[in-house]
Amino acid sequence: MSVARGQYYNLNAVGGHIWRLLETPRSLDQIVTSLAEVYDAPEEKIRAEADAFLTRLKREGLLEIVVTDAP
């Protein structure tokens, strides 16, 4: 929920799963691997949808992407 913007965000099951994964910083590859272990879908589809979701979170100011040198 963003009080400043007056917006409420509702996540579906997969979005909620991704949100919980983000409690610890993770790469897109790590998120895709984790989702692929749970959901029966092609990895390419999981990656595309996860990337789109993360992009939307970033655009809405709900996610900060940090680039590190660590693997």
Side-chain angles (χ1 to χ4, degrees), residues 9-31:
Y9 299 91
N10 186 25
L11 303 176
N12 65 19
V14 178
H17 189 151
I18 293 172
W19 187 256
R20 287 186 299 280
L21 289 172
L22 292 173
E23 290 177 0
T24 302
R26 297 173 192 267
S27 68
L28 178 58
D29 288 341
Q30 291 169 321
I31 291 169

Side-chain angles (χ1 to χ4, degrees), residues 7-67:
Q7 293 181 327
Y8 172 80
Y9 299 91
N10 186 25
L11 303 176
N12 65 19
V14 178
H17 189 151
I18 293 172
W19 187 256
R20 287 186 299 280
L21 289 172
L22 292 173
E23 290 177 0
T24 302
R26 297 173 192 267
S27 68
L28 178 58
D29 288 341
Q30 291 169 321
I31 291 169
V32 170
T33 298
S34 180
L35 294 174
E37 292 172 358
V38 177
Y39 299 101
D40 184 25
E43 188 172 310
E44 298 80 29
K45 181 175 173 85
I46 292 171
R47 178 175 300 281
E49 292 188 13
D51 187 44
F53 178 70
L54 295 170
T55 299
R56 181 166 182 209
L57 289 179
K58 183 178 184 298
R59 185 176 60 240
E60 295 289 331
L62 300 171
L63 174 68
E64 178 182 354
I65 297 176
V66 177
V67 179

